[in-house]
Amino acid sequence: MKPVQIHSPGEPSCQGPPDRLVGLADGVRDPLVFRTGLTTTADGRWALYVTVPADATVPIPSVEAQAGGYPVVYEAEPDAPPLAGPARPARRRKQTP
């Protein structure tokens, strides 16, 4: 199976992520993992979030073992960083009649 291109997290089933999961997120190491973090699954469970190459085969056994039983969401690392737009839209000039 390949990683999803864009993950859509669900509404969290509880207020905040478990402390143990927060600690795990910073320690995940695997040659295929670019970034790690926290997210929720589509059904609202807190999960480990990792980005991997788009052509990687997931799940990755070493990542699953490091996740300590928590779900893992694999997302494809984008080819290029996202482009940021302006913080506020440009103001429209008043048109004079």
Side-chain angles (χ1 to χ4, degrees), residues 58-87:
V58 298
I60 299 170
S62 71
V63 173
E64 297 289 325
Q66 293 175 70
Y70 288 102
V72 180
V73 171
Y74 295 92
E75 185 175 84
E77 179 72 14
D79 293 333
L83 298 175

Side-chain angles (χ1 to χ4, degrees), residues 89-95:
R91 291 185 182 175
R92 289 186 171 200
R93 293 184 176 179
K94 286 187 178 181
Q95 293 184 2

